[in-house]
Amino acid sequence: MATTLPLTPARTLPSDQDASGRTLGEAEIAAVSAALRSGVLTSTKGTFVSQLESRFAAMLGARYAFACSSGTAAIHCAIAALDPDPGDEIITTPITDMGALAPILYQGAIPVFADVDPATCNVTAATVAERITERTKAIVATHLFGNPCEIDEIVALGARTGIPVIEDCAQAFLAVYNRKFVGTIGRIGCFSLQQGKHITTGEGGLLVTNDQELARRLFLLINKAWGYGDARPDHYFLALNYRLSELCGSVACAQLDKLPAIVARRRMLADALTQKLRDLTEIVTPVVARGAQHSYWKYCIRTAESMHADAVVEIAKLLKERGIVSAPRYIQKPAFMCEIFQQQRTFGSSGYPFNLARADAVDYRLARYPGTVSALERVLVVPWNDRYSEDDVDYIADSLRWAVGSISWRSA
Ligand SMILES: Cc1ncc(COP(=O)(O)O)c(C=O)c1O
């Protein structure tokens, strides 16, 4: 039987919800002060947002980058750039943020959910292929927790069937797949600058593409489709104001300088934790594809099949006693189990766009999603932060070992 007493007192870890786990410092204060002093707070006139865009494009090796007001806005612009007809289908993942799904519905398209690989919580080329129909307009491939999905294979599948791929990199700044940064492999990459991401402006988003025509559409979609700089500008089509302000753009410029070091440190610390947990057979450490580099937005573990199904909840409870606030089962249920999908609550009583969907596209029976059910049942999301010390990582490893040891006898 395992020990039930932790060896060291509980400690407070840096958190991405406040200054302790953020890299907001003098550089950001100086940048935002300069923006304020200039009196120019809109990106249509200022210099910070355009600087952010050109520097982000250069960092990723993309031809174009655009800033916008959130990761949700980035996904919305990416979907709208592809101009789906009402009722077109967009294949995506059921383990994601609602900000990646609501834009599909706002654009009149139907999110069609592919199953995930329970080892990574990511969709695969095989699970996406199962959902392709003649109505598929696009695939959204999400790199969950910063762990790249098999994006080359998904893009190749899309190329064979003429379907463009949008990468959702909200959680995956500077993650790599086969020597390319994620976000630059599909047609459009989307990023989030929300409070808890690798770098932050509180709220914000970024888009990248190598495609000139899509770049033009993305620019317009952020700007109410007003043709700034054109000889005879007009509002060319339906679009919203999704601009990032110069206040956020200035902070983002300073944050961008720190991004490579942030990701490098998260990787180094995560590798150290993986080493420390190697012999703990009750849990499975992150499974990273060959040729991929995880960027560790979070450090996700999965309980081994030998553990009972509720073990993640019990481990999380014990970790909480140790000051480690983990998320057992992440979003708790597949996104399609939320009321918005179950009750089809969208625009008044119209049911639009669900009223245009094929029955199979909105068939949300859990039996069709064995990988998703298994993934959510066993995943434990451990908070991760570049401001952890090596002692913090030792502490997390010891706490996990203690928590697993405290409950594993019950699983036998
Ligand atoms: C995978 C994913 N996609 C999209 C979003 C939406 O981003 P935002 O919260 O910046 O709107 C998030 C959440 O933040 C996310 O985690």
Side-chain angles (χ1 to χ4, degrees):
M1 193 177 304
T3 165
T4 52
L5 276 180
L7 301 174
T8 52
R11 63 163 69 190
T12 305
L13 295 169
S15 161
D16 60 23
Q17 298 305 297
D18 59 44
S20 66
R22 302 284 64 190
T23 53
L24 301 165
E26 292 310 317
E28 287 75 7
I29 291 168
V32 79
S33 302
L36 276 170
R37 286 202 184 93
S38 76
V40 182
L41 302 187
T42 171
S43 63
T44 59
K45 303 280 190 316
T47 56
F48 283 106
V49 167
S50 60
Q51 204 187 110
L52 168 69
E53 292 172 338
S54 51
R55 288 179 46 210
F56 190 58
M59 185 178 280
L60 262 57
R63 280 180 74 189
Y64 308 97
F66 299 97
C68 59
S69 53
S70 67
T72 306
I75 297 277
H76 193 181
C77 291
I79 301 287
L82 300 175
D83 211 12
D85 279 323
D88 277 355
E89 296 176 1
I90 304 212
I91 299 173
T92 184
T93 172
I95 306 186
T96 189
D97 184 82
M98 199 51 71
L101 302 175
I104 299 175
L105 294 166
Y106 268 103
Q107 212 50 36
I110 313 292
V112 174
F113 296 98
D115 202 10
V116 306
D117 177 352
T120 60
C121 300
N122 278 330
V123 298
T124 67
T127 63
V128 169
E130 283 170 21
R131 295 289 187 261
I132 290 179
T133 71
E134 69 288 346
R135 293 183 73 177
T136 307
K137 181 73 178 179
I139 298 161
V140 177
T142 304
H143 306 290
L144 205 69
F145 308 128
N147 192 10
C149 68
E150 48 181 51
I151 186 66
D152 281 358
E153 292 78 355
I154 293 170
V155 168
L157 169 72
R160 283 199 298 280
T161 43
I163 301 169
V165 176
I166 294 167
E167 290 180 78
D168 184 345
C169 314
Q171 305 179 357
F173 276 104
L174 301 191
V176 172
Y177 196 80
N178 287 340
R179 287 185 286 218
K180 283 194 185 146
F181 286 121
V182 302
T184 65
I185 303 166
R187 295 286 292 284
I188 304 174
C190 305
F191 297 80
S192 166
L193 293 166
Q194 171 266 341
Q195 172 75 38
K197 299 304 192 295
H198 290 83
I199 55 172
T200 187
T201 57
E203 307 289 349
L206 287 159
L207 286 146
V208 293
T209 186
N210 289 318
D211 182 311
Q212 191 177 8
E213 249 173 69
L214 287 175
R216 171 72 176 158
R217 280 188 64 78
L218 291 174
F219 169 80
L220 290 169
L221 282 157
I222 291 166
N223 286 289
K224 297 178 265 187
W226 179 253
Y228 285 97
D230 290 359
R232 295 172 57 203
D234 199 349
H235 293 286
Y236 301 127
F237 51 80
L238 178 65
L240 298 164
N241 176 354
Y242 275 152
R243 287 192 284 265
L244 190 73
S245 83
E246 288 285 288
L247 293 173
C248 290
S250 58
V251 172
C253 283
Q255 285 275 279
L256 197 61
D257 288 334
K258 300 174 180 173
L259 181 59
I262 286 170
V263 172
R265 180 153 178 88
R266 281 176 182 245
R267 274 192 190 126
M268 188 271 283
L269 295 171
D271 290 346
L273 181 58
T274 300
Q275 282 304 315
K276 289 179 203 302
L277 297 177
R278 227 173 22 176
D279 62 331
L280 197 58
T281 54
E282 291 89 345
I283 61 168
V284 183
T285 53
V287 175
V288 184
R290 191 194 300 241
Q293 288 177 43
H294 199 315
S295 67
Y296 292 100
W297 178 57
K298 303 285 179 191
Y299 187 100
C300 274
I301 58 175
R302 176 175 164 82
T303 52
E305 300 300 323
S306 58
M307 302 289 276
H308 65 86
D310 287 334
V312 277
V313 178
E314 294 178 31
I315 293 170
K317 261 191 216 145
L318 291 169
L319 289 180
K320 197 164 174 210
E321 287 176 22
R322 306 280 289 141
I324 301 168
V325 185
S326 62
R329 300 186 171 143
Y330 186 38
I331 57 170
Q332 308 302 309
K333 57 187 179 189
F336 54 72
M337 296 306 288
C338 293
E339 285 183 30
I340 175 176
F341 290 102
Q342 292 291 313
Q343 314 290 330
Q344 303 191 341
R345 291 217 188 95
T346 48
F347 301 96
S349 57
S350 67
Y352 176 84
F354 292 111
N355 55 349
L356 306 176
R358 292 178 309 109
D360 187 65
V362 290
D363 179 351
Y364 300 140
R365 281 171 303 155
L366 286 173
R368 300 180 83 211
Y369 295 93
T372 302
V373 171
S374 166
L376 289 175
E377 188 173 70
R378 295 191 170 273
V379 72
L380 180 72
V381 183
V382 176
W384 208 240
N385 203 289
D386 37 282
R387 302 196 74 181
Y388 287 169
S389 64
E390 283 164 35
D391 283 352
D392 289 334
V393 174
D394 284 344
Y395 175 78
I396 292 170
D398 291 346
S399 300
L400 265 168
R401 192 175 293 281
W402 163 75
V404 166
S406 301
I407 63 151
S408 61
W409 60 274
R410 281 182 259 165
S411 300

